[in-house]
Amino acid sequence: KKDNATNRAVVIGLGRFGGSVAMELMRQRTEVLAIDSNPKIVDRYADRVTHAAVADSTDDDALRQLGVHRFHRAVVAIGTDLEASILTTSLLGDFAIPSIWAKGLSRQHASILERVGAHHVVLPEHDMGERVAHLVMGRMLDYI
Ligand code: ATP
């Protein structure tokens, strides 16, 4: 049986990216705490994840009340609000969460996220663009 803390993840920001991360984690039988500051968006996920909560993830106390500091895996999927993305990532870093993933919009944003505590940064559009270039040339084997 898997250790409880390792078989769950917190996903912060439920836009297209964070939403699909949360849904795929659920499909993989991971327990998901999904957080967004927009109540309408949280409503949409209420029946689809283990726990869905409305909270401002830049608020240390709000995150602690939800028990975020006890998670071993976290995904920061906030995009356009750079301040929120950076501050949230740094709070998770302060919590010493062992595996923090964050979404970046640019190389500069990615570099800041790494400096404030992200262990892994993804640049979805950049990464997918590279991948499509390989697929266009029929080099699918690069990705197996
Ligand atoms: P995507 O491309 O994944 O659809 P995006 O890059 O446009 O998303 P946003 O829509 O800006 O990213 O952010 C994703 C989600 O993060 C939104 O649903 C937004 O409500 C949420 N969000 C933004 N700031 C905070 C915050 N401080 N606390 C919690 N959630 C937040």
Side-chain angles (χ1 to χ4, degrees), residues 4 6-7 17 57 86-88 94 98 113 119-120 138-140:
N4 203 27
T6 65
N7 197 31
F17 178 78
S57 61
I86 293 163
L87 192 46
T88 299
D94 290 347
L113 292 171
H119 304 102
H120 309 274
R139 301 212 301 263
M140 286 173 285

Side-chain angles (χ1 to χ4, degrees), residues 11 13-24 27 45 48-49 77:
V11 178
L14 301 171
R16 290 165 300 177
F17 178 78
S20 66
V21 170
M23 287 301 93
E24 186 60 20
R27 273 192 285 274
Y45 284 90
R48 302 163 71 190
V49 297

Side-chain angles (χ1 to χ4, degrees), residues 51-126:
H51 299 288
V54 180
D56 176 356
S57 61
T58 65
D59 179 342
D60 184 294
D61 290 334
L63 292 184
R64 284 179 189 277
Q65 274 169 28
L66 291 168
V68 170
H69 57 295
R70 286 191 295 267
F71 277 73
H72 290 188
R73 304 170 194 278
V75 181
V76 181
I78 299 171
T80 43
D81 188 341
L82 293 183
E83 283 184 5
S85 153
I86 293 163
L87 192 46
T88 299
T89 304
S90 78
L91 287 176
L92 300 181
D94 290 347
F95 294 157
I97 292 178
S99 181
I100 302 171
W101 292 74
K103 166 183 157 168
L105 296 184
S106 65
R107 292 251 173 245
Q108 289 94 329
H109 183 198
S111 138
I112 294 168
L113 292 171
E114 278 165 2
R115 282 163 187 248
V116 300
H119 304 102
H120 309 274
V121 178
V122 287
L123 297 163
E125 296 186 336
H126 177 271

